[in-house]
Amino acid sequence: MPNPEHMKEGILAQVSSLIGVRRNISKLVKNKPETPRGTVDGSNTEFYLSRVPFGGFVLLTTNGVDQKKGDDFTMDGAKITYTSAPPTGSNHQAVYF
C-alpha cells in the first residue's frame, strides 16, 4: 500500500515545479520585443540579439509574421541567420528568455 506521506511529498514537489514553470512563463510575457541588430537591406541574412536566448528558445516575427525556427531561420548563440534576407524596411522582432 502506498505511503500517504510519500504521496504528499510527491504532490508538493509537482506543485512546486508547476509554480516554477508559471514564473518562467510570466518572465517571457514581461519581456519586451527586441529588434535584432543588423542591416535590413534585402540581402543581409545575419542578425544578432543582445544575448544568447535561454535554451535557444526565441519567438521571431518579420512584419508581424511568425518565423519558424529551422525553416525560416537558424540560431547559433545570439546570431540569427534567415534562410532568405528580410526585404528592405522590414520590421523584425524577437522575444526570448
Side-chain angles (χ1 to χ4, degrees):
M1 175 168 267
N3 181 330
E5 198 59 36
H6 287 287
M7 290 175 63
K8 179 181 172 184
E9 290 172 10
I11 291 170
L12 289 175
Q14 289 178 349
V15 169
S16 177
S17 176
L18 290 173
I19 290 170
V21 168
R22 183 173 178 204
R23 285 184 183 142
N24 285 337
I25 290 172
S26 69
K27 286 179 188 175
L28 174 64
V29 172
K30 291 178 185 176
N31 281 355
K32 293 182 181 178
E34 175 183 331
T35 300
R37 294 182 322 272
T39 304
V40 184
D41 60 5
S43 62
N44 181 33
T45 58
E46 294 182 357
F47 296 85
Y48 296 87
L49 299 173
S50 60
R51 61 182 173 82
V52 176
F54 178 76
F57 179 77
V58 63
L59 299 172
L60 185 64
T61 62
T62 302
N63 295 326
V65 177
D66 291 341
Q67 302 299 297
K68 186 174 179 185
K69 188 174 181 182
D71 290 342
D72 301 316
F73 71 98
T74 59
M75 292 289 305
D76 183 14
K79 181 172 94 173
I80 297 168
T81 303
Y82 282 99
T83 53
S84 297
T88 301
S90 292
N91 176 19
H92 59 149
Q93 299 287 308
V95 176
Y96 58 97
F97 283 104

